[in-house]
Amino acid sequence: HRSWSGFSGSDSFIDEADIHVWVNAASPTLTVLDCSKDFALLSGPSGICRAMSEWLSSSHLRVVLGLVQRRARGRVNVRLVPEKAWSYKCALSIDDAQTMRAAQPPSSQPLCLVVDRLVCKVTKSKIKGASTTHDLELWATASENCQLCITNASGDCRQLVDAFLANPDLGSWMVSTMDFTRALVPILE
C-alpha cells in the first residue's frame, strides 16, 4: 500500500508526496533507520533527525510509541518540530507493506511510519517595539523566460535565509509556479 500526503500552504493548493520513515520499534526514542526523500525534505537545511524523539514532544512520542508497540491500525495525530521556525501537524500510521531500502542493523525491529496528512505551520517571531520587520523578505529578478531568481533575502530565521541564498532559483522552492504566477500578476498590474 502506498500512502500519499497533502502539503498545504493554503487551502487552494494541495500536492502529493510519498512521506515515510523507517524506525526501530525496539528503541524508546524511535531511532530512524531509513526514510523517503520526501520525509528528509521536512527537516530543511539541518538534516534528518537521528531519532523521532528529536522532533516530537514527550507526550507525542508516547502516542507514537503506543501506536508502534501495539502495531495498531489507524492513525495518530502529532506535531513534528524539526526547526524552531516551523512545525508539521500530521497524522501517522503504520505501513506493513513497505520494504526498507537500507540494510537493517541485526538487533533492530524496523517499522514503517507513513505520514498520511501534513500541514506546515511557520512560527512567527514575537516582535517588540514599534519598528516594522518581516519574518522573511525575498528580492527576486525575472529573466526573459520569466524564471525568478532570488537576489537577496533577509528575515528572522537565519537558516531559512541561508537556504534561499544557497539555492536562488525561486521556482525550485515552489511546487506550482503557475499558482504563484497567478497570485503575483494581479499585484504587479
Side-chain angles (χ1 to χ4, degrees), residues 138-149:
L138 298 176
W139 291 267
T141 58
S143 65
E144 289 179 17
N145 62 353
C146 296
Q147 182 178 2
L148 296 172
C149 181

Side-chain angles (χ1 to χ4, degrees), residues 124-127 133-136 154-159 161:
K124 295 180 181 177
S125 63
K126 307 256 189 275
I127 302 169
T133 62
H134 299 81
D135 290 325
L136 179 66
S154 66
D156 299 329
C157 178
R158 188 75 234 158
Q159 287 180 317
V161 168

Side-chain angles (χ1 to χ4, degrees), residues 3 17 35 51 57 59 61 64 76-77 100 105 128 154 160 167 179:
S3 180
C35 67
S57 68
S59 62
L61 176 61
V64 176
V76 294
N77 294 311
M100 195 165 82
K128 295 182 180 179
S154 66
L160 188 56
N167 181 9
D179 288 345

Side-chain angles (χ1 to χ4, degrees), residues 2 6 10 33 39 44 56 58 60 74 77 86 120 124 130-131 135 138 144 150 152 163:
R2 197 156 174 93
S10 69
L33 302 172
F39 184 87
L56 292 165
S58 57
H60 284 183
N77 294 311
W86 66 86
C120 180
K124 295 180 181 177
S131 64
D135 290 325
L138 298 176
E144 289 179 17
I150 299 167
N152 195 3

